[in-house]
Amino acid sequence: MSTTPSSPPTPRAAPASPQPDAHVTSRLSTLDRFLPVWIGAAMLVGLALGRVVPGLGGALSAVEVDGVSLPIALGLLVMMYPVLAKVRYDRLDTVTGDRRLLGASLVLNWLVGPALMFALAWLLLPDLPEYRTGLIVVGLARCIAMVIIWNDLACGDREAAAVLVALNSVFQVVAFAGLGWFYLSVLPGWLGLPQQDLDVSPWAIAGSVLVFLGVPLLAGYLSRRIGEKRWGRAAYERSFLPRIGPWALYGLLFTIVVLFALQGERITGNPFDVARIALPLLGYFALMWGGGNLLGRALGLTYERTTTLAFTAAGNNFELAIAVAIATFGVTSGQALAGVVGPLIEVPVLVGLVYVSLALRKRFPHG
């Protein structure tokens, strides 16, 4: 079949691909370049709305999808679809054959990450058992959503991100409940520390993965397949992708506004507690991202795959962590507050690390 476009969308100039030695941040669009400003504004707007609009939180959470507020669910789906529509699915085999990358990701996400959060939570919150437990739950929930955005903004490998996120999803379904039992009940018992229980169904986690990864992944795959068949790859990437691309950030900003509107009163009403919870989170994000970069360089990975490894290791699935904490310990629990503080710290920190990654780009080999 000919790949000549039969009736493509109106062509639109795509941004030039940055060269490895170019100053990448200068090539970002206005929307991308001022992303920290937009995200900071979205967080403030959400916090303000949660404080000044009576009953807003109840209205936003009145309808839920797999335990997550419907507006947040919609924001996540809108956020993830454009990035997954950019993935070249016919190149995934180049990722699945990279055993160094897959092995490093599994080690960082499922051995190092939970253990590091456990250690930081006990070290920095020894007198706050509820917050400590909440952070351990956060450490177990590996990211399957926002990490796709951070990776794309940092010019990471989209195909690698899709594979690693899918791998995290499978392990999340299989291992989350067992690791929760180990880190909250078994390991503290071995160390002579107070124990907790975590009652969470693997089927509930599977449902979350199916909705928040499966739906946008299927939509992105079908868009790529149908678009290339109708217009050809060049026209699809030159015309269609630039039109839907900004919606990833619109979805991200909308999600942040809604998330912080839902939890604004809880966050602003406990400023000292938020500061205590923030300390282990800051250490966790810095160490996981830095460790991912160092491991990628040691393994000889390209910049693109090292960046993907680092961000998939540093990000967490706060939607899942919050849902589990609320279901197990209650909506007003300290465990739930710890989950809520997670994105308050993760969003600005990982946005900052996007810019650090771009600044370091020329020091890495490229694929």
Side-chain angles (χ1 to χ4, degrees):
M1 179 178 293
S2 173
T3 59
T4 304
S6 57
S7 181
T10 304
R12 208 166 129 184
S17 299
Q19 299 300 316
D21 59 347
H23 194 276
V24 181
T25 55
S26 66
R27 296 176 179 266
L28 295 174
S29 67
T30 301
L31 183 65
D32 291 347
R33 191 177 302 121
F34 293 100
L35 181 62
V37 177
W38 313 138
I39 286 181
M43 293 168 69
L44 291 175
V45 168
L47 290 172
L49 287 174
R51 292 288 293 180
V52 304
V53 180
L56 179 62
L60 290 174
S61 59
V63 181
E64 295 185 342
V65 175
D66 203 59
V68 177
S69 165
L70 178 60
I72 289 181
L74 292 175
L76 289 171
L77 295 176
V78 171
M79 175 184 76
M80 294 176 66
Y81 163 69
V83 181
L84 290 171
K86 295 177 183 179
V87 172
R88 292 182 174 180
Y89 292 91
D90 57 346
R91 295 186 179 179
L92 293 184
D93 59 336
T94 66
V95 181
T96 56
D98 190 340
R99 295 184 178 180
R100 296 174 303 166
L101 176 66
L102 298 183
S105 178
L106 288 175
V107 168
L108 285 173
N109 276 285
W110 297 102
L111 294 179
V112 177
L116 177 61
M117 188 68 90
F118 176 87
L120 290 172
W122 273 99
L123 179 66
L124 298 176
L125 302 174
D127 56 329
L128 298 171
E130 290 190 358
Y131 298 153
R132 184 176 64 237
T133 298
L135 287 181
I136 292 172
V137 173
V138 167
L140 300 175
R142 312 314 301 167
C143 195
I144 64 170
M146 285 189 181
V147 68
I148 293 177
I149 293 290
W150 312 138
N151 177 75
D152 207 50
L153 290 171
C155 300
D157 188 319
R158 290 180 186 135
E159 288 71 36
V163 170
L164 296 187
V165 164
L167 192 64
N168 271 350
S169 300
V170 172
F171 269 77
Q172 203 148 242
V173 173
V174 173
F176 186 93
L179 286 174
W181 169 73
F182 176 76
Y183 279 105
L184 294 177
S185 297
V186 177
L187 186 56
W190 290 350
L191 300 175
L193 302 171
Q195 298 169 301
Q196 283 273 356
D197 291 318
L198 185 65
D199 182 18
V200 57
S201 165
W203 298 112
I205 299 171
S208 175
V209 169
L210 180 64
V211 172
F212 298 113
L213 177 62
V215 170
L217 183 61
L218 178 62
Y221 172 77
L222 290 176
S223 293
R224 167 71 69 170
R225 186 174 179 85
I226 295 171
E228 287 191 359
K229 184 176 181 180
R230 181 178 179 185
W231 303 313
R233 172 165 291 185
Y236 175 84
E237 295 185 347
R238 184 179 64 247
S239 304
F240 179 70
L241 292 184
R243 290 182 176 182
I244 65 169
W247 283 94
L249 293 184
Y250 299 155
L252 172 65
L253 296 176
F254 174 77
T255 302
I256 291 171
V257 170
V258 175
L259 180 62
F260 283 88
L262 280 169
Q263 307 295 343
E265 186 172 354
R266 186 179 299 175
I267 292 173
T268 57
N270 301 275
F272 183 71
D273 289 351
V274 168
R276 289 288 305 273
I277 296 168
L279 287 176
L281 284 168
L282 286 169
Y284 173 84
F285 293 134
L287 290 171
M288 290 300 293
W289 183 87
N293 266 282
L294 290 174
L295 182 57
R297 293 199 70 165
L299 293 173
L301 299 179
T302 63
Y303 166 83
E304 292 78 11
R305 292 197 172 175
T306 297
T307 297
T308 300
L309 178 65
F311 279 101
T312 51
N316 289 85
N317 186 351
F318 286 104
E319 297 78 24
L320 175 61
I322 293 169
V324 168
I326 290 174
T328 305
F329 304 105
V331 69
T332 60
S333 65
Q335 290 89 340
L337 177 61
V340 168
V341 174
L344 177 69
I345 308 303
E346 182 193 45
V347 170
V349 169
L350 291 192
V351 169
L353 291 175
V354 165
Y355 285 84
V356 174
S357 291
L358 292 173
L360 296 174
R361 192 181 189 196
K362 61 184 177 181
R363 302 185 180 211
F364 284 81
H366 293 260

